[in-house]
Amino acid sequence: LLTEFFPQAAHQLILLSTDTEVDVQAFDVLKSAISHVYRLDFDMNQGETNVEQTYFSSTVEELRA
């Protein structure tokens, strides 16, 4: 999936995953085909979803290095 399907699936693809489904090693395999990453965190107290341009605990710049 990481090397054959996802990079070739379509011109645009939205992949929703957890940090265990696409970990840092898997992200490294896919990063040349990724243009944007976001983390969605639902805040139960506020009843809203917060969006950050990061992939779990790493920033985009750290992942691209």
Side-chain angles (χ1 to χ4, degrees), residues 15-26:
L15 175 63
L16 303 174
S17 71
T18 67
D19 60 339
T20 58
E21 293 168 326
V22 178
D23 59 13
V24 174
Q25 291 80 18

Side-chain angles (χ1 to χ4, degrees), residues 39-52:
R39 184 178 69 209
L40 307 176
D41 287 317
F42 183 71
D43 184 330
M44 291 180 58
N45 296 325
Q46 298 293 324
E48 63 187 24
T49 300
N50 299 308
V51 180
E52 294 184 45

Side-chain angles (χ1 to χ4, degrees), residues 17-38:
S17 71
T18 67
D19 60 339
T20 58
E21 293 168 326
V22 178
D23 59 13
V24 174
Q25 291 80 18
F27 185 92
D28 191 47
V29 172
L30 293 171
K31 71 181 176 183
S32 66
I34 295 173
S35 65
H36 295 80
V37 294
Y38 299 96

Side-chain angles (χ1 to χ4, degrees), residues 1-8 29-30:
L1 288 174
L2 294 175
T3 60
E4 300 296 323
F5 179 74
F6 292 134
Q8 306 299 324
V29 172
L30 293 171

Side-chain angles (χ1 to χ4, degrees), residues 37 53-54 58-65:
V37 294
Q53 192 171 3
T54 182
S58 301
T59 66
V60 175
E61 292 77 21
E62 291 170 338
L63 291 167
R64 295 213 185 272

